[in-house]
């Protein structure tokens, strides 16, 4: 839970004190703004990746970053073929993979999710499709909605050469198609992942009525169900 008073993106709320540690925080001080509401309602119908990926048999791992990890985690937890999703930090070192430090924006980390999936049920390409369609807005540079800073950047951390090739090809495909008015700013970076603190895991499931979840993340789930009904478990 985003509960730390010295984190610039979080605002401590006295109400809803029954939540974890007796504190309620909203990610981003402007999470009730008109701009924020518009972003929360987004979900875009885009083409699936044209390039095919040959994946190894057995469970595989994908790591994505697209703003606050609560909502990205919740989206992929609902996808058929996904067996586990963890919230964490990618792009920095293990020694500074701490919520307080990451939230300062000085550690090079991004809030990310590690997805374990069965490629016989859902491919890496299909995960990319969902990532760009409903999990976040890939045109927002170093932010998502109300959350500002490099820790909220759009990034992909490929686990192998096949994933890297697929990610680069899909970004190029989407850029050429011009679905968004702004260019895609998603970076493709070397893989790393350090699990976040336990209270960040399965946050939506544990806190379905949290104000941030209701405004920012539940619309993502609605868009997942609307755009990918056959993919929702």
């Amino acid at each position: 839970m985003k509960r730390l008073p010295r984190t610039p993106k979080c605002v401590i709320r006295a109400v809803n004190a029954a939540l974890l540690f007796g504190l309620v925080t909203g990610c981003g001080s402007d999470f009730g703004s008109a701009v924020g509401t518009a972003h929360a309602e987004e979900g875009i119908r885009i083409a699936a990746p044209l390039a095919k990926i040959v994946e190894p048999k057995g469970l595989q791992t994908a790591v994505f970053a697209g703003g606050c990890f609560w909502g990205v985690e919740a989206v992929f937890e609902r996808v058929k073929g996904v067996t586990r999703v963890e919230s964490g930090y990618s792009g920095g070192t293990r020694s500074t993979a701490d919520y307080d430090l990451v939230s300062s924006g000085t550690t090079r980390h991004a809030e990310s999710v590690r997805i374990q999936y069965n490629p016989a049920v859902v491919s890496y390409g299909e995960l990319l499709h969902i990532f760009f369609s409903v999990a976040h807005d890939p045109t927002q540079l170093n932010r998502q909605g109300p959350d500002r800073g490099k820790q909220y950047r759009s990034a992909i951390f490929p686990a192998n050469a096949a994933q890297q090739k697929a990610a680069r090809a899909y970004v190029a495909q989407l850029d050429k198609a011009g679905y968004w008015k702004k260019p895609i700013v998603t970076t493709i970076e070397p893989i790393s992942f350090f699990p976040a603190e336990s209270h960040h895991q399965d946050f939506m499931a544990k806190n379905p009525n949290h104000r941030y979840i209701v405004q920012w993340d539940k619309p993502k789930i609605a868009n997942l169900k609307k755009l990918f009904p056959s993919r929702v478990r």
Side-chain angles (χ1 to χ4, degrees):
M1 179 167 185
K2 305 206 168 188
R3 71 198 195 300
L4 303 164
R6 66 174 181 269
T7 300
K9 72 172 186 178
C10 293
V11 179
I12 302 299
R13 304 283 179 179
V15 296
N16 298 329
L19 288 179
L20 192 61
F21 301 128
L23 296 173
V24 171
T25 61
C27 298
S29 59
D30 61 344
F31 72 94
S33 70
V35 172
T37 301
H39 174 72
E41 293 174 353
E42 286 176 4
I44 184 167
R45 193 176 299 278
I46 59 179
L50 296 175
K52 302 301 180 182
I53 178 173
V54 177
E55 302 192 70
K57 293 182 179 180
L59 296 179
Q60 301 299 311
T61 297
V63 178
F64 300 140
C68 177
F69 41 28
W70 295 346
V72 182
E73 176 191 68
V75 165
F76 287 105
E77 283 180 333
R78 288 162 171 76
V79 175
K80 291 178 182 178
V82 171
T83 59
R84 185 182 183 188
V85 186
E86 291 179 274
S87 287
Y89 313 109
S90 297
T93 64
R94 183 180 299 276
S95 63
T96 55
D98 169 85
Y99 186 77
D100 282 345
L101 297 174
V102 172
S103 294
S104 72
T106 62
T107 68
R108 302 196 311 275
H109 292 94
E111 288 194 12
S112 62
V113 298
R114 178 166 62 184
I115 303 160
Q116 186 180 70
Y117 67 99
N118 182 354
V121 180
V122 60
S123 70
Y124 185 72
E126 289 163 338
L127 296 179
L128 286 172
H129 194 188
I130 292 169
F131 176 64
F132 282 100
S133 298
V134 301
H136 82 309
D137 180 346
T139 70
Q140 295 192 356
L141 181 63
N142 295 331
R143 63 175 287 248
Q144 280 295 308
D147 300 323
R148 270 72 169 178
K150 290 184 178 180
Q151 66 271 31
Y152 299 112
R153 66 186 180 273
S154 171
I156 299 171
F157 301 86
N160 52 49
Q163 287 188 1
Q164 183 177 63
K165 182 178 180 180
R168 291 190 183 281
Y170 195 38
V171 170
Q173 175 188 329
L174 295 177
D175 262 333
K176 184 177 181 180
Y179 292 105
W180 295 272
K181 294 180 180 179
K182 297 179 180 180
I184 293 172
V185 296
T186 307
T187 58
I188 299 175
E189 306 178 28
I191 191 168
S192 65
F193 183 85
F194 310 103
E197 296 79 357
S198 61
H199 52 270
H200 287 298
Q201 308 300 335
D202 301 312
F203 190 85
M204 181 185 283
K206 296 173 182 175
N207 303 277
N209 297 317
H210 189 292
R211 290 183 66 190
Y212 185 96
I213 292 295
V214 171
Q215 180 156 350
W216 292 96
D217 295 333
K218 285 191 174 181
K220 295 179 181 180
I221 304 306
N223 287 324
L224 175 70
K225 293 177 180 179
K226 178 178 70 176
L227 296 176
F228 298 93
S230 66
R231 292 292 174 194
V232 180
R233 66 171 80 253

